[in-house]
Amino acid sequence: MDVVLVLGLVMTAITLGLAGQRVLFLWRLITSGQPAPDRIEGVTKRTGSAVKSQLVEVLGQKKLLNWTIPGAAHLFVMYAFLILATVYVEAYGALFNPEFAIPVIGHWAILGFLQDFIGVMCFFGLVTFAIIRLKNSPEKLGRKSRFEGSHLGGAWLVLFMIFNVLWTMFFFRGAASAAGNLPYENGAFLSIGLGKLFDGFSEGTIEALEHVGLLLHIGVMLVFLIIVLNSKHLHIFLAPINVLFGRRPVALGAVKPLMVHGKPLDIETMDDLEEEDFEHLGVGKVEDFSWKGLLDFSTCTECGRCQSQCPAWATEKPLSPKLLIMDLRDHALAKAPHTLAGGEKERAGLPTSVLTEAERPLIGDADSYGVIDPDVLWSCTNCGACVQQCPVDIEHVDHIIDMRRYQVLVESNFPSELNNIFKGLERKGNPWNMDPKNRMDWAKGLDFEVKQVGRDIEDLDSVEWLFWVGCAGAYEDRAKKTTQAVAELLNIAGVTFGVLGDGETCTGDPARRAGNEIVFAQLAMQNTEVFKETKVKKVVSTCAHCFNTLKNEYAEFGVELEVVHHTQLLNRLVREGKLTPVAPTGGEVAGKTITYHDPCFLGRHNKVYEPPRELLSVIPGATFKEMPRNSEKSFCCGAGGARMWMEETIGSRINVNRTEEAIATGADQIAVGCPFCRVMLDDGLTLKQSEGKAREEVEVLDVAQMLLASIKRAPEPKAAKEAATGPAAAAVATATAVATAPDTSTEEPEPISAPEQERLPAEELVPAQEEEPTELDAREEEAEASTTIVDESGTSEASEDDKA
């Protein structure tokens, strides 16, 4: 036994020495990042939230269990690490005393049962992982495999090492049971059962087998420890820490502020910055990332969930969120000796490979030996699917925007198309560079007054809501129809509202998402001053991007607003009986099928999924059908992250990919809740119609237009008034029942923009329907000039067995 004790202690001492060196290296590297005091405050000042994150995401495995089969497998493997730690306490105790048992609980049958049970379930988890990896091998599936680009050899090695932990555990415990040294008389069903296999062996043989099993079990664990500390499975230790210091409730919605030396940049005090500080506007080299960024890179599990959901990767772009993080991690590790060196003299003595790595530009193409290719950086739509899917809370979008900030503010190196929107935002307050005086053109021809602050009303105290029209809603022809529809619905419901007119300017979303933080801050400060002067408190917006920016990012400029999306407000008005959809009557043809596209900045960024669907469900005579990718797993339209104004020249077009999915549902109408989505899906639909791959009658409409069309079926104001009072609840209930079954009436609800459908002076009220020949021809030419067809098979969602 003395020999076993010495060998066990020597192996442990050597391993802990090597592990300690690695841990110290990782600690020095991660803490060399820029300060992030907000992350510390996020834990110390919101302890309850921090504890909840550990319980829900780490112990509860919430994100992993969204993918049921691989999530359950990972749950058992993760809990095996926790529960089997007690087995290693027993193993080290057995080095000193073969009959060792953990004090107090060491003889509890329930503990023995849990140890054996979790070991068995961990084995089945390993089998599940192996099947998933074989089924989704990159050699078979190429880019369609979420493991494409991952370190496959290391993953298989770790599975093998976990298997070794399991079999050596049961070998050691079986021999201990046969020798009478197992702490449990019952409960440890498998260990005790295996011990019976040693019946007939001599006492000396059983003792020798117990010693061999003990050393093997400890030795495998020690080797595994070194492998984990030097591989992507470092997440075993770092994931709980990364989750602890993550942005709460999630790293979506607001963009992380531009930080300089750990403090948010204040544009009003920029003149006080030192000259060298301007080199830290954004991230230009790996050392510019905060320690939380470096922790993100080190925590990546290479699971590929982010990659499988990324619209850029799905359409053959070079961006994979997983590979982006892996490349940043590999670069940080390779450059670490240079980063951590004490001075230039020490750096001069470093190996050539390290010096070469240190000279690599963070952003650069293959010719310049860049770490991240510019096409990778600018392919991101900021949809947030990567952040939403990541089981260890890596903040991909924040890192991408930080790198964009440096490229724009310091290097002035960005896609040429962005020049126009930056100029338009600076000079005219909108990305289309349109005259601010035309911001009220959308209201021309309406048969009611739209109150404008400074002209009709002094401030917003006299009305309930500020209707934030947005740049698209004011200037883009298709979005104007949504603006008009919402204004009409609010007027019908008796909701008082005002608009800023030419006093409104862009929220700054395109600038911030493109990395131009200075322009964003200027626009935000301009708007917030107007908000304060006009006493804005409640805002309704039709644009998901404006909604997100006003709701989540303007508080840092000193205004607290109640911001709702128009679908939220309209849904509330329907519930209150102030808006009542009317069933088709007369010669109308019912039975239209509707599908809904979730805007990323409404759904994934702000968790608004139900209000638009509830509105669509109460439209009489319609059947609602979901696309396969919906809600949290919805696919982007391709317009976010300022991609609306950039050409899509690599791979296939994201908007066409999404449009094909919508068409495949058989829907007659594709409902949207964002003007950006409206433009992208409408262009995609026009292309598919021109190719004969979509029916001509299919159309893209905002939810508000569909609701208004159903309300305007009422033949005269008296009927509408009666519907909005006594019988309102019954009408809504009838509409809900009809929504899921074909209607037998013969009259069809037309979109509000169809002139022959209008009861009011339609040609003055609403611009011509999108499908008018002149506009259709123009859209076809634009789409054909810049669109590549995507193969439908590349868009299908992975089955549960494929997920990990």
Side-chain angles (χ1 to χ4, degrees), residues 139-439:
E139 294 181 358
K140 295 180 182 178
L141 302 179
R143 288 178 64 97
K144 294 180 183 178
S145 169
R146 62 187 178 88
F147 302 118
E148 173 74 9
S150 298
H151 294 101
L152 303 178
W156 284 110
L157 176 60
V158 165
L159 293 182
F160 177 65
M161 291 305 300
I162 298 174
F163 172 71
N164 287 335
V165 168
L166 295 178
W167 78 258
T168 57
M169 178 189 82
F170 285 116
F171 178 64
F172 157 61
R173 284 164 66 88
S177 176
N181 294 327
L182 188 69
Y184 313 101
E185 294 182 3
N186 52 56
F189 60 96
L190 188 55
S191 298
I192 295 172
L194 291 173
K196 294 178 180 179
L197 297 178
F198 294 96
D199 288 347
F201 285 63
S202 67
E203 183 177 335
T205 301
I206 292 175
E207 182 180 1
L209 290 174
E210 181 184 5
H211 292 166
V212 170
L214 176 60
L215 290 176
L216 282 174
H217 190 47
I218 291 175
V220 165
M221 180 272 294
L222 294 174
V223 173
F224 190 23
L225 175 63
I226 298 300
I227 292 173
V228 166
L229 291 175
N230 288 273
S231 73
K232 62 106 171 178
H233 279 78
L234 185 62
H235 77 270
I236 293 172
F237 302 115
L238 294 186
I241 302 173
N242 204 48
V243 170
L244 182 68
F245 290 106
R247 284 212 281 142
R248 290 287 167 255
V250 66
L252 292 173
V255 170
K256 181 175 69 69
L258 174 56
M259 309 290 281
V260 178
H261 300 311
K263 297 180 180 180
L265 174 69
D266 185 347
I267 191 174
E268 294 182 322
T269 61
M270 277 190 65
D271 292 340
D272 298 335
L273 291 177
E274 300 292 335
E275 184 175 347
E276 59 268 19
D277 290 337
F278 286 94
E279 291 295 315
H280 298 283
L281 297 179
V283 169
K285 52 185 181 297
V286 75
E287 300 97 305
D288 291 337
F289 284 106
S290 71
W291 62 260
K292 175 57 173 65
L294 294 172
L295 181 61
D296 270 359
F297 309 154
S298 302
T299 307
C300 180
T301 71
E302 301 182 20
C303 67
R305 285 171 173 79
C306 58
Q307 181 173 289
S308 72
Q309 303 296 307
C310 178
W313 183 259
T315 52
E316 300 85 45
K317 311 293 188 296
L319 169 62
S320 157
K322 176 189 72 176
L323 298 180
L324 173 81
I325 296 299
M326 288 172 60
D327 287 342
L328 291 171
R329 177 192 64 197
D330 294 345
H331 173 60
L333 290 171
K335 189 179 179 180
H338 186 273
T339 303
L340 302 177
E344 291 302 321
K345 183 177 180 180
E346 185 178 342
R347 287 175 176 171
L350 293 172
T352 303
S353 60
V354 174
L355 296 176
T356 302
E357 191 71 27
E359 294 172 359
R360 295 182 68 185
L362 187 66
I363 307 298
D365 57 22
D367 292 338
S368 60
Y369 194 41
V371 178
I372 305 298
D373 191 279
D375 287 331
V376 170
L377 182 66
W378 295 103
S379 291
C380 179
T381 67
N382 284 198
C383 72
C386 50
V387 177
Q388 193 275 331
Q389 286 292 329
C390 182
V392 294
D393 284 7
I394 293 173
E395 300 163 3
H396 315 73
V397 174
D398 285 346
H399 302 320
I400 287 171
I401 289 179
D402 269 340
M403 289 186 284
R404 286 183 175 185
R405 284 165 168 164
Y406 185 86
Q407 293 300 301
V408 172
L409 301 177
V410 180
E411 297 288 338
S412 295
N413 185 15
F414 49 85
S416 59
E417 304 98 314
L418 293 178
N419 269 316
N420 291 330
I421 75 160
F422 291 158
K423 291 177 182 177
L425 291 170
E426 288 185 270
R427 298 173 183 175
K428 301 292 182 65
N430 67 84
W432 281 280
N433 208 18
M434 303 288 282
D435 193 333
K437 295 179 180 179
N438 297 333
R439 274 191 177 266

Side-chain angles (χ1 to χ4, degrees), residues 600-615:
C600 298
F601 283 82
L602 179 65
R604 197 175 288 113
H605 281 268
N606 288 283
K607 310 302 179 188
V608 179
Y609 299 114
E610 293 308 315
R613 288 174 168 81
E614 289 182 9
L615 281 176

Side-chain angles (χ1 to χ4, degrees), residues 337-626:
H338 186 273
T339 303
L340 302 177
E344 291 302 321
K345 183 177 180 180
E346 185 178 342
R347 287 175 176 171
L350 293 172
T352 303
S353 60
V354 174
L355 296 176
T356 302
E357 191 71 27
E359 294 172 359
R360 295 182 68 185
L362 187 66
I363 307 298
D365 57 22
D367 292 338
S368 60
Y369 194 41
V371 178
I372 305 298
D373 191 279
D375 287 331
V376 170
L377 182 66
W378 295 103
S379 291
C380 179
T381 67
N382 284 198
C383 72
C386 50
V387 177
Q388 193 275 331
Q389 286 292 329
C390 182
V392 294
D393 284 7
I394 293 173
E395 300 163 3
H396 315 73
V397 174
D398 285 346
H399 302 320
I400 287 171
I401 289 179
D402 269 340
M403 289 186 284
R404 286 183 175 185
R405 284 165 168 164
Y406 185 86
Q407 293 300 301
V408 172
L409 301 177
V410 180
E411 297 288 338
S412 295
N413 185 15
F414 49 85
S416 59
E417 304 98 314
L418 293 178
N419 269 316
N420 291 330
I421 75 160
F422 291 158
K423 291 177 182 177
L425 291 170
E426 288 185 270
R427 298 173 183 175
K428 301 292 182 65
N430 67 84
W432 281 280
N433 208 18
M434 303 288 282
D435 193 333
K437 295 179 180 179
N438 297 333
R439 274 191 177 266
M440 287 300 295
D441 284 357
W442 65 269
K444 292 179 179 178
L446 292 176
D447 67 339
F448 57 90
E449 180 185 29
V450 176
K451 296 179 180 179
Q452 182 178 342
V453 177
R455 187 189 68 184
D456 306 302
I457 53 177
E458 182 177 347
D459 55 46
L460 274 299
D461 272 348
S462 59
V463 295
E464 188 177 0
W465 293 91
L466 166 65
F467 181 15
W468 183 267
V469 176
C471 302
Y475 296 117
E476 209 280 326
D477 288 339
R478 289 164 283 195
K480 286 181 183 178
K481 299 174 185 179
T482 301
T483 308
Q484 292 164 338
V486 172
E488 284 196 73
L489 288 165
L490 295 180
N491 183 64
I492 292 170
V495 175
T496 59
F497 67 93
V499 298
L500 295 176
D502 56 8
E504 180 181 299
T505 190
C506 182
T507 61
D509 167 82
R512 181 168 235 192
R513 299 281 166 174
N516 198 331
E517 189 73 10
I518 305 302
V519 170
F520 163 74
Q522 292 170 341
L523 293 169
M525 288 191 297
Q526 181 179 336
N527 280 322
T528 52
E529 284 304 311
V530 172
F531 290 165
K532 293 174 184 177
E533 292 172 5
T534 57
K535 303 178 182 179
V536 177
K537 297 180 181 66
K538 298 168 67 175
V539 183
V540 56
S541 172
T542 61
C543 176
H545 298 258
C546 295
F547 164 74
N548 177 69
T549 304
L550 295 173
K551 179 176 183 287
N552 298 312
E553 298 182 348
Y554 270 35
E556 62 186 270
F557 294 93
V559 292
E560 294 292 337
L561 304 170
E562 178 188 343
V563 185
V564 301
H565 190 251
H566 70 286
T567 58
Q568 292 176 298
L569 180 56
L570 295 178
N571 190 50
R572 186 188 309 172
L573 296 174
V574 170
R575 285 173 171 266
E576 293 172 352
K578 295 179 180 179
L579 292 174
T580 306
V582 179
T585 59
E588 291 181 306
V589 179
K592 286 202 173 185
T593 300
I594 300 172
T595 192
Y596 174 67
H597 164 77
D598 287 278
C600 298
F601 283 82
L602 179 65
R604 197 175 288 113
H605 281 268
N606 288 283
K607 310 302 179 188
V608 179
Y609 299 114
E610 293 308 315
R613 288 174 168 81
E614 289 182 9
L615 281 176
L616 294 173
S617 72
V618 300
I619 294 177
T623 301
F624 181 70
K625 187 172 183 180
E626 288 279 18

Side-chain angles (χ1 to χ4, degrees), residues 89-90 93-94 97-107 181-184:
V89 172
E90 294 171 346
N97 178 8
E99 298 180 352
F100 173 82
I102 300 173
V104 182
I105 64 173
H107 294 288
N181 294 327
L182 188 69
Y184 313 101

Side-chain angles (χ1 to χ4, degrees), residues 715-732:
E716 52 189 72
K718 180 180 178 182
K721 182 178 180 181
E722 291 174 353
T725 55
V732 174

